[in-house]
Amino acid sequence: MFRFEVKKMEEILKEILHIPVKEKAFDGENKLPLLLLGLYDIKVFMIGKKSVYMIQPKEHVSLPQLKKHFAKLKMLLGEDCILYADKYTQYGIFRLIELNIPFIFGNNNIYLPNLGIRIHDKPKAKLPDVKQFSPFTQKLVLMALYCGWKTISGKEIAEFLKVSRMTVNRALIELEALSLPLTEIKGKTKYFKNDFSKKELFGVCEEYLVSPVKKTVKLKHIPDYTFVKSGGSALAEYSLLGESAYPVFAIDREGYGKLEIKQEEIVAKGEEPACIIQIHRYLIDKNGVVDPISAILSMSSSELEDARVEQAIEETKEGVFNGRWT
C-alpha cells in the first residue's frame, strides 16, 4: 500500500470539496479494538465543521472483511470513514461501490456517496462475478503455497500443472476478479505474483477456499483400487491425530467412474461403513495422501467440532507454513 501522505490528502479533499480541510490529531484509540488498530492507519480531517476519518489498510484486507470492518469503524467512531488505498483492480473498485464503501484513490477513483461524488475509471475488461475459488484456481493457489511460487508466468504454470494456458488464464482472471493482489501483467504476459509468506498467502486466500469434495459415498467394503488418503485419514498422516474407525479416501470423477459401484455396495443410512470415498473436484497428492489444506477442507462439520481434530488442523497448518510439505 502507498504511504499516507497527509498533505496530498488535504489537497485532494480541498480540490474536490472546495472548502477548508485540515488534519487534526486522532484520539480514537480507546474506542477501537486492537484488531482494527493493527490493520489500519487512521487519520482525521476537519472538513468545514465535520470530522472525517481516512482509513488506510496496512496490509491486504479482503473485500468482505473490509465491509465488516468499515461498518464497525463507523459505528465506533461515530463519523464518516473513507478508504484511502491502492492495489485495487478496476473490478475491486466496482465491488467497493457495490458494498457502499466510500473511497479516495488519487484523483481518478473517488466515491463519496454521502456527498453525491462518484468519479472512477471504466474497467478495461469485464471480469467474472466470482465469490469463491473454482476447483482449478484453488489448485493453482495451493500449489503456489506449497511450492513457494513468487513470480511465475501463465505458460510456466500450464506446463507445470499439465493444463492449457487458457485454463490458467481463466484462473488468473478469477484472482483478479476477487481483487486479490496475486496477478501482474508485463507486456502481453500475465503472471502469478506473490509477495506474501506462506502463512500470509493462506490468510489472504482462506475465505475463498472451498471443500474439494463433490460427493461422499460410504461403502460396505474397500474396493480393490489404489486410493489416495483424504479427510481424517490424511490428517492423521500430517499430525498426531489417531486413525479414524474407517479409512477415508479421495478419488476424482474419472477414477470413481472406473470403480463401477453398484447400489447394493453402498451402506444404508445409520450403518457403519468399511470405508468412505470422497469424490474430489481436483486432486493434489504426494505419496498417496491428499495435500494438507485439501485434507482439512474435506473434513465434515461434525468432525471439525472435535477438539482433537482442531488441534491436528493447527498442527498441520503450522507444518505447511514452515515448509514441511512441498
Side-chain angles (χ1 to χ4, degrees):
M1 296 292 179
F2 52 63
R3 243 177 91 253
F4 211 133
E5 298 179 51
V6 173
K7 276 292 178 190
K8 186 176 180 181
M9 191 73 258
E10 285 183 0
E11 289 168 9
I12 290 172
L13 289 170
K14 284 178 184 176
E15 186 179 332
I16 295 168
L17 305 174
H18 306 292
I19 57 176
V21 176
K22 188 176 181 181
E23 186 193 12
K24 72 172 189 176
F26 175 59
D27 59 358
E29 286 90 348
N30 59 333
K31 297 179 183 178
L32 301 180
L34 291 176
L35 171 67
L36 295 179
L37 289 171
L39 282 175
Y40 301 99
D41 187 14
I42 303 173
K43 303 289 184 185
V44 193
F45 292 88
M46 289 300 298
I47 300 176
K49 295 182 180 180
K50 182 179 173 61
S51 295
V52 171
Y53 291 89
M54 305 302 299
I55 314 293
Q56 183 181 40
K58 296 178 182 178
E59 58 189 63
H60 176 78
V61 180
S62 68
L63 294 177
Q65 285 297 317
L66 200 63
K67 182 181 179 181
K68 293 177 186 175
H69 292 168
F70 260 67
K72 194 159 190 177
L73 284 163
K74 187 173 181 180
M75 180 187 71
L76 294 174
L77 296 172
E79 298 285 357
D80 286 341
C81 296
I82 299 172
L83 179 66
Y84 178 61
D86 65 352
K87 300 294 185 185
Y88 285 96
T89 63
Q90 288 295 338
Y91 181 79
I93 289 170
F94 175 72
R95 288 285 290 129
L96 288 169
I97 293 171
E98 273 192 342
L99 297 170
N100 203 37
I101 297 174
F103 59 79
I104 295 177
F105 307 151
N107 296 310
N108 298 323
N109 288 297
I110 300 163
Y111 177 60
L112 303 173
N114 288 352
L115 299 173
I117 297 171
R118 175 172 168 174
I119 305 167
H120 67 98
D121 293 333
K122 291 181 180 179
K124 294 175 183 176
K126 184 174 176 59
L127 293 170
D129 183 13
V130 290
K131 295 178 175 63
Q132 295 176 312
F133 289 149
S134 67
F136 180 76
T137 301
Q138 184 156 309
K139 182 175 183 178
L140 187 158
V141 168
L142 291 179
M143 290 304 299
L145 174 67
Y146 302 134
C147 298
W149 290 347
K150 289 301 179 184
T151 301
I152 180 170
S153 70
K155 180 183 178 182
E156 290 171 310
I157 294 170
E159 291 172 353
F160 188 87
L161 297 179
K162 295 180 173 56
V163 296
S164 70
R165 291 178 67 177
M166 186 178 293
T167 298
V168 175
N169 191 53
R170 278 198 299 265
L172 295 177
I173 289 171
E174 277 188 27
L175 294 176
E176 185 182 357
L178 289 166
S179 209
L180 289 168
L182 296 172
T183 59
E184 181 180 60
I185 296 176
K186 294 180 182 177
K188 294 183 179 180
T189 305
K190 187 166 281 191
Y191 291 83
F192 176 88
K193 188 177 188 327
N194 169 33
D195 295 324
F196 299 106
S197 67
K198 289 178 184 285
K199 188 171 185 177
E200 288 168 340
L201 179 60
F202 177 80
V204 164
C205 296
E206 185 175 12
E207 68 183 276
Y208 303 111
L209 297 170
V210 295
S211 171
V213 182
K214 182 177 178 63
K215 183 179 178 181
T216 298
V217 181
K218 297 180 179 181
L219 299 181
K220 294 178 181 178
H221 65 92
I222 301 176
D224 184 17
Y225 188 89
T226 303
F227 286 106
V228 177
K229 289 184 179 181
S230 183
S233 295
L235 204 57
E237 295 282 337
Y238 295 121
S239 67
L240 298 175
L241 184 70
E243 282 282 358
S244 55
Y246 34 79
V248 181
F249 301 116
I251 195 169
D252 60 19
R253 283 174 290 182
E254 184 182 356
Y256 183 71
K258 291 178 182 177
L259 290 179
E260 298 181 343
I261 301 294
K262 298 176 182 176
Q263 186 59 40
E264 56 266 28
E265 297 176 82
I266 298 174
V267 172
K269 190 175 181 180
E271 293 182 7
E272 288 291 310
C275 71
I276 291 180
I277 306 292
Q278 295 178 338
I279 304 164
H280 280 219
R281 296 178 174 91
Y282 66 87
L283 272 179
I284 305 173
D285 75 275
K286 186 176 182 181
N287 300 325
V289 186
V290 299
D291 68 279
I293 301 301
S294 296
I296 292 167
L297 293 170
S298 67
M299 301 291 285
S300 67
S301 54
S302 59
E303 288 174 313
L304 294 174
E305 293 173 0
D306 188 324
R308 293 168 300 175
V309 170
E310 187 178 350
Q311 183 178 349
I313 287 173
E314 291 308 310
E315 184 183 340
T316 301
K317 284 182 182 177
E318 283 305 311
V320 171
F321 303 151
N322 292 329
R324 274 181 277 170
W325 201 94
T326 57

